[in-house]
Amino acid sequence: MSAPFNAPHDAALYRMICTEIEEKLRRAADTYIDHFPHVSTLPAEGLRYPAEENKIWTCSFFPGMMHLAYRRTGDAFFLKHSREYLASFQHRLDTRTGISHDLGFLYTLSSVALYKLTGDKRARDLALAAAGVLTGRYNEKGRYIQCWGEVGKGNPYVKIIVDTMLNLPLLFWAGEESGDPRYAEIARAHAFTASETLVRKDYSSFHSYLMDPVTGRAIEGRTHQGFHDDTTWARGQAWVVTGYALAYAYTKEPRFLEVSRKAAEVFIDNLPADNVPYWDFSFSDRVPDLRDTSAASIFTCGLLELACQIGGEEAERYRAVARTVVRSLYDHYFLHDPDRLGLLTDAIYHRVHGPTCVIWGDYFFYETLMRLLENGRYFW
């Protein structure tokens, strides 16, 4: 059972943490230019981020953090490698490297963000091109975006996964920016399909669902990174909370708001005593396992987006939960060493890898702090 959600709003603390993060980013800026952080080494090996080729789903999170830093500080230093970032992501799209549903993550934080910050037309055009490629993964019969693999082909099925909810904002943005309604229609349709398949009746979630690419028929719920098919993977539940809050912000569709709110309650009900979740909700303080601080940071970001959408006492409750989780993350899991980029220890990519830092957890922690300070949305 989690502790009371009573952490006060502490703007001075949030600014201090942001300053600490920005010092880490300054030191790391010249290391990650066209190769990017993903998952750190293990604690015994120093929790350091190797520089990974721009081929995987997480490569935009470091540029995204640099864009957040510029947004907060106005310091042009944080845009010093923007040209190189764009070139790397342009090459990735041109060569169709690592194409999947994660185009939303990749081009929202690398390109939409830069366009929103500076008006860079190259960034706008690149993001719209990526959105166009993402629409090519849409199955009209099933009304879903296929996550991995060659479109329409599986053995004999393909998968949808909860993570895709955070890739939909690229399509919603593209619809607004281009005036073409099909982008938003695809995003909306996928969100409805996910709410009927990946979201269970009790508002917990499957990580993945098998779909028949020929008929579009939904087959059954599975997991990919959770403990079992019928358990709830903490990071997946956080994607649900945050993704549906953002989908509601764009569409004002009542179903999306309902899913986000009720999924948030499931997450809150499964918080342990220190308010940082275990990596799967089948674990608890009575039956413990590893934490996942990245799930916590995604969740707090979603709660604050949800609070912006609803207002009133319920919104204040969500903000209090977010403040309390953030305080626990900082007090117990924050990596203070300025020479190591990682922010939050005890994050999980796949359970078999053990506890590390992960760049998406770091990104969402930083965005959460900025949301606490400014009560607004950023690049999504």
Side-chain angles (χ1 to χ4, degrees), residues 103-104 107-109 111-117 119-132 167-181 183-185 187 246 250-251 377-380:
L103 286 161
Y107 291 88
T108 296
L109 297 181
S111 305
V112 175
L114 185 62
Y115 174 59
K116 288 183 174 181
L117 289 170
D120 189 311
K121 186 179 181 296
R122 297 166 305 161
R124 174 188 180 273
D125 292 347
L126 180 56
L128 286 173
N167 290 285
L168 300 184
L170 177 66
L171 298 181
F172 286 124
W173 168 83
E176 292 182 348
E177 186 66 25
S178 69
D180 185 344
Y183 292 109
E185 288 166 2
L246 290 167
Y250 277 104
T251 66
R377 191 196 314 163
Y378 293 91
F379 309 131
W380 306 102

Short mmCIF file of all heavy atoms in Angstrom, two decimals, residues 103-104 107-109 111-117 119-132 167-181 183-185 187 246 250-251 377-380:
data_model
loop_
_atom_site.label_atom_id
_atom_site.label_comp_id
_atom_site.label_asym_id
_atom_site.label_seq_id
_atom_site.Cartn_x
_atom_site.Cartn_y
_atom_site.Cartn_z
N LEU A 103 7.97 5.40 -34.94
CA LEU A 103 8.22 6.65 -35.65
C LEU A 103 7.68 7.85 -34.88
O LEU A 103 8.20 8.96 -34.98
CB LEU A 103 7.57 6.59 -37.04
CG LEU A 103 8.31 5.70 -38.06
CD1 LEU A 103 7.36 5.34 -39.20
CD2 LEU A 103 9.54 6.40 -38.58
N GLY A 104 6.61 7.64 -34.12
CA GLY A 104 6.06 8.73 -33.33
C GLY A 104 7.02 9.24 -32.28
O GLY A 104 7.23 10.45 -32.14
N TYR A 107 10.23 10.94 -34.21
CA TYR A 107 10.14 12.20 -34.93
C TYR A 107 9.35 13.27 -34.18
O TYR A 107 9.45 14.45 -34.54
CB TYR A 107 9.62 11.94 -36.35
CG TYR A 107 10.68 11.21 -37.14
CD1 TYR A 107 10.74 9.82 -37.13
CD2 TYR A 107 11.69 11.90 -37.80
CE1 TYR A 107 11.77 9.14 -37.79
CE2 TYR A 107 12.71 11.25 -38.47
CZ TYR A 107 12.75 9.86 -38.45
OH TYR A 107 13.77 9.20 -39.08
N THR A 108 8.63 12.91 -33.13
CA THR A 108 8.05 13.95 -32.28
C THR A 108 9.15 14.67 -31.52
O THR A 108 9.22 15.91 -31.51
CB THR A 108 7.04 13.35 -31.30
OG1 THR A 108 5.94 12.81 -32.02
CG2 THR A 108 6.51 14.41 -30.33
N LEU A 109 10.04 13.91 -30.87
CA LEU A 109 11.04 14.54 -30.01
C LEU A 109 12.24 15.08 -30.77
O LEU A 109 12.89 16.03 -30.32
CB LEU A 109 11.49 13.55 -28.94
CG LEU A 109 10.38 13.11 -27.97
CD1 LEU A 109 10.92 12.14 -26.94
CD2 LEU A 109 9.74 14.31 -27.29
N SER A 111 12.04 16.12 -34.20
CA SER A 111 11.68 17.03 -35.28
C SER A 111 10.52 17.95 -34.94
O SER A 111 10.63 19.17 -35.11
CB SER A 111 11.36 16.22 -36.54
OG SER A 111 12.43 15.36 -36.87
N VAL A 112 9.39 17.40 -34.48
CA VAL A 112 8.28 18.26 -34.08
C VAL A 112 8.74 19.23 -33.00
O VAL A 112 8.41 20.43 -33.03
CB VAL A 112 7.08 17.43 -33.59
CG1 VAL A 112 5.96 18.35 -33.07
CG2 VAL A 112 6.54 16.54 -34.70
N ALA A 113 9.49 18.73 -32.05
CA ALA A 113 9.97 19.58 -30.96
C ALA A 113 10.78 20.76 -31.49
O ALA A 113 10.57 21.91 -31.10
CB ALA A 113 10.82 18.77 -29.98
N LEU A 114 11.71 20.48 -32.40
CA LEU A 114 12.54 21.56 -32.94
C LEU A 114 11.70 22.56 -33.73
O LEU A 114 11.91 23.77 -33.64
CB LEU A 114 13.65 20.97 -33.81
CG LEU A 114 14.66 21.98 -34.34
CD1 LEU A 114 15.42 22.66 -33.21
CD2 LEU A 114 15.64 21.30 -35.31
N TYR A 115 10.74 22.05 -34.48
CA TYR A 115 9.86 22.95 -35.23
C TYR A 115 9.06 23.84 -34.29
O TYR A 115 8.94 25.05 -34.51
CB TYR A 115 8.94 22.12 -36.12
CG TYR A 115 7.89 22.94 -36.83
CD1 TYR A 115 8.24 23.98 -37.69
CD2 TYR A 115 6.54 22.67 -36.63
CE1 TYR A 115 7.27 24.74 -38.33
CE2 TYR A 115 5.56 23.43 -37.27
CZ TYR A 115 5.93 24.46 -38.12
OH TYR A 115 4.96 25.21 -38.74
N LYS A 116 8.52 23.27 -33.23
CA LYS A 116 7.75 24.07 -32.29
C LYS A 116 8.61 25.11 -31.58
O LYS A 116 8.15 26.20 -31.27
CB LYS A 116 7.07 23.16 -31.26
CG LYS A 116 5.90 22.36 -31.84
CD LYS A 116 5.21 21.52 -30.76
CE LYS A 116 3.97 20.84 -31.32
NZ LYS A 116 3.26 20.03 -30.29
N LEU A 117 9.87 24.77 -31.35
CA LEU A 117 10.76 25.69 -30.64
C LEU A 117 11.29 26.81 -31.53
O LEU A 117 11.45 27.95 -31.08
CB LEU A 117 11.94 24.92 -30.06
CG LEU A 117 11.66 23.99 -28.87
CD1 LEU A 117 12.89 23.14 -28.58
CD2 LEU A 117 11.26 24.80 -27.64
N GLY A 119 10.64 26.98 -35.34
CA GLY A 119 10.04 27.18 -36.65
C GLY A 119 10.85 26.61 -37.79
O GLY A 119 10.61 26.94 -38.97
N ASP A 120 11.78 25.72 -37.51
CA ASP A 120 12.65 25.14 -38.53
C ASP A 120 11.82 24.33 -39.53
O ASP A 120 11.23 23.31 -39.19
CB ASP A 120 13.69 24.23 -37.86
CG ASP A 120 14.77 23.77 -38.81
OD1 ASP A 120 14.45 23.30 -39.91
OD2 ASP A 120 15.96 23.86 -38.44
N LYS A 121 11.77 24.79 -40.79
CA LYS A 121 10.94 24.15 -41.80
C LYS A 121 11.44 22.75 -42.14
O LYS A 121 10.64 21.85 -42.45
CB LYS A 121 10.89 25.01 -43.07
CG LYS A 121 9.93 24.48 -44.12
CD LYS A 121 9.89 25.38 -45.35
CE LYS A 121 8.89 24.85 -46.38
NZ LYS A 121 9.30 23.52 -46.89
N ARG A 122 12.75 22.53 -42.09
CA ARG A 122 13.27 21.19 -42.36
C ARG A 122 12.75 20.19 -41.35
O ARG A 122 12.41 19.05 -41.69
CB ARG A 122 14.80 21.20 -42.32
CG ARG A 122 15.48 22.07 -43.37
CD ARG A 122 16.94 22.25 -43.01
NE ARG A 122 17.07 22.80 -41.66
CZ ARG A 122 18.17 22.76 -40.91
NH1 ARG A 122 19.25 22.17 -41.39
NH2 ARG A 122 18.19 23.29 -39.70
N ALA A 123 12.68 20.62 -40.09
CA ALA A 123 12.17 19.74 -39.04
C ALA A 123 10.70 19.44 -39.27
O ALA A 123 10.24 18.30 -39.10
CB ALA A 123 12.39 20.39 -37.67
N ARG A 124 9.93 20.46 -39.65
CA ARG A 124 8.51 20.26 -39.95
C ARG A 124 8.32 19.25 -41.07
O ARG A 124 7.52 18.32 -40.95
CB ARG A 124 7.87 21.59 -40.34
CG ARG A 124 6.43 21.48 -40.81
CD ARG A 124 5.93 22.81 -41.38
NE ARG A 124 4.56 22.72 -41.82
CZ ARG A 124 4.19 22.32 -43.04
NH1 ARG A 124 5.12 21.96 -43.92
NH2 ARG A 124 2.90 22.27 -43.37
N ASP A 125 9.06 19.44 -42.16
CA ASP A 125 8.90 18.57 -43.32
C ASP A 125 9.31 17.13 -42.99
O ASP A 125 8.68 16.17 -43.45
CB ASP A 125 9.72 19.09 -44.49
CG ASP A 125 9.18 20.41 -45.03
OD1 ASP A 125 8.04 20.78 -44.68
OD2 ASP A 125 9.91 21.07 -45.80
N LEU A 126 10.36 16.99 -42.19
CA LEU A 126 10.81 15.65 -41.81
C LEU A 126 9.75 14.96 -40.94
O LEU A 126 9.45 13.77 -41.13
CB LEU A 126 12.14 15.74 -41.06
CG LEU A 126 12.76 14.42 -40.59
CD1 LEU A 126 12.95 13.45 -41.74
CD2 LEU A 126 14.08 14.69 -39.89
N ALA A 127 9.17 15.69 -40.00
CA ALA A 127 8.15 15.10 -39.14
C ALA A 127 6.92 14.70 -39.95
O ALA A 127 6.33 13.64 -39.71
CB ALA A 127 7.77 16.09 -38.04
N LEU A 128 6.52 15.53 -40.91
CA LEU A 128 5.37 15.17 -41.74
C LEU A 128 5.67 13.95 -42.60
O LEU A 128 4.80 13.08 -42.79
CB LEU A 128 4.97 16.35 -42.62
CG LEU A 128 4.26 17.51 -41.92
CD1 LEU A 128 4.09 18.69 -42.86
CD2 LEU A 128 2.92 17.07 -41.35
N ALA A 129 6.90 13.85 -43.10
CA ALA A 129 7.28 12.67 -43.88
C ALA A 129 7.23 11.42 -43.01
O ALA A 129 6.74 10.35 -43.46
CB ALA A 129 8.67 12.86 -44.48
N ALA A 130 7.70 11.51 -41.78
CA ALA A 130 7.67 10.36 -40.87
C ALA A 130 6.22 9.97 -40.55
O ALA A 130 5.89 8.77 -40.49
CB ALA A 130 8.42 10.69 -39.58
N ALA A 131 5.36 10.97 -40.37
CA ALA A 131 3.95 10.67 -40.12
C ALA A 131 3.34 9.94 -41.31
O ALA A 131 2.53 9.00 -41.14
CB ALA A 131 3.18 11.96 -39.83
N GLY A 132 3.73 10.33 -42.52
CA GLY A 132 3.24 9.63 -43.70
C GLY A 132 3.67 8.18 -43.74
O GLY A 132 2.88 7.29 -44.08
N ASN A 167 2.90 7.06 -29.69
CA ASN A 167 3.29 7.38 -31.05
C ASN A 167 2.18 8.09 -31.82
O ASN A 167 2.43 8.68 -32.88
CB ASN A 167 3.73 6.12 -31.78
CG ASN A 167 5.04 5.58 -31.26
OD1 ASN A 167 6.10 6.12 -31.56
ND2 ASN A 167 5.00 4.53 -30.46
N LEU A 168 0.96 8.05 -31.28
CA LEU A 168 -0.16 8.69 -31.97
C LEU A 168 -0.07 10.22 -32.02
O LEU A 168 -0.57 10.82 -32.98
CB LEU A 168 -1.48 8.27 -31.32
CG LEU A 168 -1.79 6.77 -31.32
CD1 LEU A 168 -3.17 6.53 -30.72
CD2 LEU A 168 -1.67 6.17 -32.71
N PRO A 169 0.51 10.90 -31.01
CA PRO A 169 0.58 12.37 -31.12
C PRO A 169 1.24 12.88 -32.39
O PRO A 169 0.88 13.96 -32.87
CB PRO A 169 1.36 12.77 -29.86
CG PRO A 169 0.95 11.73 -28.85
CD PRO A 169 0.90 10.45 -29.66
N LEU A 170 2.18 12.13 -32.97
CA LEU A 170 2.77 12.56 -34.23
C LEU A 170 1.69 12.68 -35.30
O LEU A 170 1.68 13.63 -36.10
CB LEU A 170 3.86 11.58 -34.69
CG LEU A 170 4.50 11.90 -36.05
CD1 LEU A 170 5.27 13.21 -35.99
CD2 LEU A 170 5.39 10.76 -36.51
N LEU A 171 0.75 11.72 -35.32
CA LEU A 171 -0.32 11.74 -36.32
C LEU A 171 -1.33 12.85 -36.03
O LEU A 171 -1.79 13.54 -36.96
CB LEU A 171 -1.01 10.38 -36.37
CG LEU A 171 -0.14 9.20 -36.78
CD1 LEU A 171 -0.96 7.92 -36.82
CD2 LEU A 171 0.50 9.45 -38.15
N PHE A 172 -1.69 13.02 -34.76
CA PHE A 172 -2.60 14.12 -34.43
C PHE A 172 -2.00 15.47 -34.83
O PHE A 172 -2.68 16.33 -35.39
CB PHE A 172 -2.93 14.11 -32.94
CG PHE A 172 -3.86 13.01 -32.51
CD1 PHE A 172 -3.51 12.10 -31.51
CD2 PHE A 172 -5.12 12.89 -33.09
CE1 PHE A 172 -4.39 11.11 -31.11
CE2 PHE A 172 -6.01 11.89 -32.69
CZ PHE A 172 -5.63 11.00 -31.70
N TRP A 173 -0.71 15.65 -34.52
CA TRP A 173 -0.02 16.89 -34.89
C TRP A 173 0.00 17.05 -36.41
O TRP A 173 -0.28 18.14 -36.93
CB TRP A 173 1.41 16.89 -34.34
CG TRP A 173 2.24 17.99 -34.92
CD1 TRP A 173 2.28 19.29 -34.51
CD2 TRP A 173 3.11 17.91 -36.07
NE1 TRP A 173 3.14 20.02 -35.32
CE2 TRP A 173 3.65 19.19 -36.27
CE3 TRP A 173 3.47 16.86 -36.92
CZ2 TRP A 173 4.55 19.45 -37.30
CZ3 TRP A 173 4.36 17.12 -37.96
CH2 TRP A 173 4.90 18.41 -38.14
N ALA A 174 0.33 15.97 -37.13
CA ALA A 174 0.43 16.05 -38.59
C ALA A 174 -0.92 16.43 -39.20
O ALA A 174 -0.97 17.19 -40.18
CB ALA A 174 0.91 14.72 -39.16
N GLY A 175 -2.00 15.93 -38.64
CA GLY A 175 -3.32 16.31 -39.13
C GLY A 175 -3.58 17.79 -38.97
O GLY A 175 -4.09 18.45 -39.89
N GLU A 176 -3.23 18.31 -37.82
CA GLU A 176 -3.42 19.75 -37.58
C GLU A 176 -2.50 20.58 -38.46
O GLU A 176 -2.90 21.60 -39.02
CB GLU A 176 -3.15 20.08 -36.11
CG GLU A 176 -4.19 19.51 -35.15
CD GLU A 176 -3.93 19.89 -33.70
OE1 GLU A 176 -2.83 20.41 -33.40
OE2 GLU A 176 -4.82 19.67 -32.88
N GLU A 177 -1.26 20.15 -38.58
CA GLU A 177 -0.26 20.95 -39.30
C GLU A 177 -0.51 20.94 -40.80
O GLU A 177 -0.31 21.96 -41.48
CB GLU A 177 1.14 20.40 -39.00
CG GLU A 177 2.28 21.21 -39.57
CD GLU A 177 2.40 22.59 -38.95
OE1 GLU A 177 1.97 22.80 -37.79
OE2 GLU A 177 2.95 23.49 -39.63
N SER A 178 -0.94 19.80 -41.36
CA SER A 178 -1.10 19.66 -42.81
C SER A 178 -2.51 19.98 -43.28
O SER A 178 -2.72 20.25 -44.47
CB SER A 178 -0.76 18.23 -43.22
OG SER A 178 -1.76 17.32 -42.72
N GLY A 179 -3.48 19.89 -42.37
CA GLY A 179 -4.87 20.04 -42.76
C GLY A 179 -5.48 18.79 -43.34
O GLY A 179 -6.65 18.79 -43.76
N ASP A 180 -4.74 17.68 -43.36
CA ASP A 180 -5.23 16.41 -43.88
C ASP A 180 -5.85 15.62 -42.74
O ASP A 180 -5.14 15.18 -41.83
CB ASP A 180 -4.08 15.63 -44.50
CG ASP A 180 -4.53 14.33 -45.17
OD1 ASP A 180 -5.67 13.88 -44.90
OD2 ASP A 180 -3.74 13.75 -45.93
N PRO A 181 -7.17 15.38 -42.75
CA PRO A 181 -7.81 14.71 -41.63
C PRO A 181 -7.47 13.24 -41.48
O PRO A 181 -7.71 12.65 -40.42
CB PRO A 181 -9.31 14.88 -41.93
CG PRO A 181 -9.38 15.02 -43.42
CD PRO A 181 -8.13 15.75 -43.81
N TYR A 183 -4.67 11.69 -41.07
CA TYR A 183 -3.71 11.40 -40.00
C TYR A 183 -4.44 11.19 -38.67
O TYR A 183 -4.23 10.20 -37.96
CB TYR A 183 -2.72 12.55 -39.84
CG TYR A 183 -1.76 12.75 -40.98
CD1 TYR A 183 -1.89 13.84 -41.84
CD2 TYR A 183 -0.70 11.88 -41.19
CE1 TYR A 183 -0.99 14.06 -42.87
CE2 TYR A 183 0.21 12.07 -42.21
CZ TYR A 183 0.06 13.17 -43.06
OH TYR A 183 0.96 13.36 -44.07
N ALA A 184 -5.29 12.14 -38.31
CA ALA A 184 -6.01 12.04 -37.04
C ALA A 184 -7.03 10.91 -37.05
O ALA A 184 -7.26 10.28 -36.01
CB ALA A 184 -6.69 13.37 -36.73
N GLU A 185 -7.62 10.65 -38.20
CA GLU A 185 -8.59 9.55 -38.29
C GLU A 185 -7.92 8.22 -37.97
O GLU A 185 -8.49 7.37 -37.27
CB GLU A 185 -9.21 9.52 -39.68
CG GLU A 185 -10.19 10.66 -39.94
CD GLU A 185 -10.54 10.82 -41.41
OE1 GLU A 185 -10.04 10.01 -42.23
OE2 GLU A 185 -11.30 11.76 -41.74
N ALA A 187 -5.12 7.80 -36.16
CA ALA A 187 -4.75 7.81 -34.74
C ALA A 187 -5.96 7.53 -33.87
O ALA A 187 -5.89 6.74 -32.91
CB ALA A 187 -4.13 9.16 -34.37
N LEU A 246 -3.29 12.19 -23.70
CA LEU A 246 -2.91 12.98 -24.87
C LEU A 246 -3.93 12.83 -25.99
O LEU A 246 -4.27 13.82 -26.67
CB LEU A 246 -1.52 12.56 -25.36
CG LEU A 246 -0.36 12.95 -24.43
CD1 LEU A 246 0.92 12.22 -24.84
CD2 LEU A 246 -0.13 14.46 -24.44
N TYR A 250 -6.31 15.95 -27.80
CA TYR A 250 -6.48 16.27 -29.21
C TYR A 250 -7.92 16.13 -29.69
O TYR A 250 -8.35 16.87 -30.57
CB TYR A 250 -5.58 15.35 -30.06
CG TYR A 250 -4.16 15.81 -30.19
CD1 TYR A 250 -3.14 15.20 -29.47
CD2 TYR A 250 -3.81 16.86 -31.04
CE1 TYR A 250 -1.82 15.61 -29.59
CE2 TYR A 250 -2.50 17.28 -31.18
CZ TYR A 250 -1.50 16.65 -30.45
OH TYR A 250 -0.20 17.07 -30.58
N THR A 251 -8.66 15.16 -29.15
CA THR A 251 -9.95 14.79 -29.73
C THR A 251 -11.17 15.15 -28.89
O THR A 251 -12.27 15.23 -29.42
CB THR A 251 -10.01 13.28 -29.96
OG1 THR A 251 -9.99 12.60 -28.68
CG2 THR A 251 -8.84 12.79 -30.83
N ARG A 377 1.88 21.41 -21.49
CA ARG A 377 2.36 20.31 -22.32
C ARG A 377 3.54 20.79 -23.15
O ARG A 377 3.65 22.00 -23.44
CB ARG A 377 1.25 19.81 -23.24
CG ARG A 377 1.62 18.49 -23.94
CD ARG A 377 0.71 18.20 -25.10
NE ARG A 377 -0.68 18.41 -24.75
CZ ARG A 377 -1.63 18.55 -25.65
NH1 ARG A 377 -1.36 18.54 -26.94
NH2 ARG A 377 -2.88 18.74 -25.26
N TYR A 378 4.37 19.89 -23.61
CA TYR A 378 5.53 20.28 -24.38
C TYR A 378 5.41 19.85 -25.84
O TYR A 378 4.70 20.46 -26.61
CB TYR A 378 6.80 19.80 -23.68
CG TYR A 378 6.92 20.59 -22.39
CD1 TYR A 378 6.36 20.12 -21.21
CD2 TYR A 378 7.44 21.87 -22.39
CE1 TYR A 378 6.39 20.89 -20.06
CE2 TYR A 378 7.46 22.64 -21.24
CZ TYR A 378 6.94 22.15 -20.08
OH TYR A 378 6.95 22.92 -18.96
N PHE A 379 6.03 18.77 -26.23
CA PHE A 379 6.17 18.50 -27.66
C PHE A 379 5.13 17.52 -28.20
O PHE A 379 5.02 17.34 -29.40
CB PHE A 379 7.57 17.99 -27.94
CG PHE A 379 8.64 18.89 -27.36
CD1 PHE A 379 9.68 18.36 -26.61
CD2 PHE A 379 8.58 20.26 -27.56
CE1 PHE A 379 10.65 19.18 -26.07
CE2 PHE A 379 9.54 21.10 -27.02
CZ PHE A 379 10.58 20.55 -26.27
N TRP A 380 4.38 16.87 -27.31
CA TRP A 380 3.42 15.86 -27.76
C TRP A 380 2.21 16.50 -28.42
O TRP A 380 1.53 15.91 -29.21
CB TRP A 380 2.99 14.98 -26.60
CG TRP A 380 4.17 14.39 -25.89
CD1 TRP A 380 4.71 14.81 -24.70
CD2 TRP A 380 4.99 13.30 -26.32
NE1 TRP A 380 5.81 14.06 -24.36
CE2 TRP A 380 6.01 13.11 -25.35
CE3 TRP A 380 4.97 12.47 -27.44
CZ2 TRP A 380 6.98 12.12 -25.46
CZ3 TRP A 380 5.94 11.48 -27.55
CH2 TRP A 380 6.93 11.33 -26.57
#
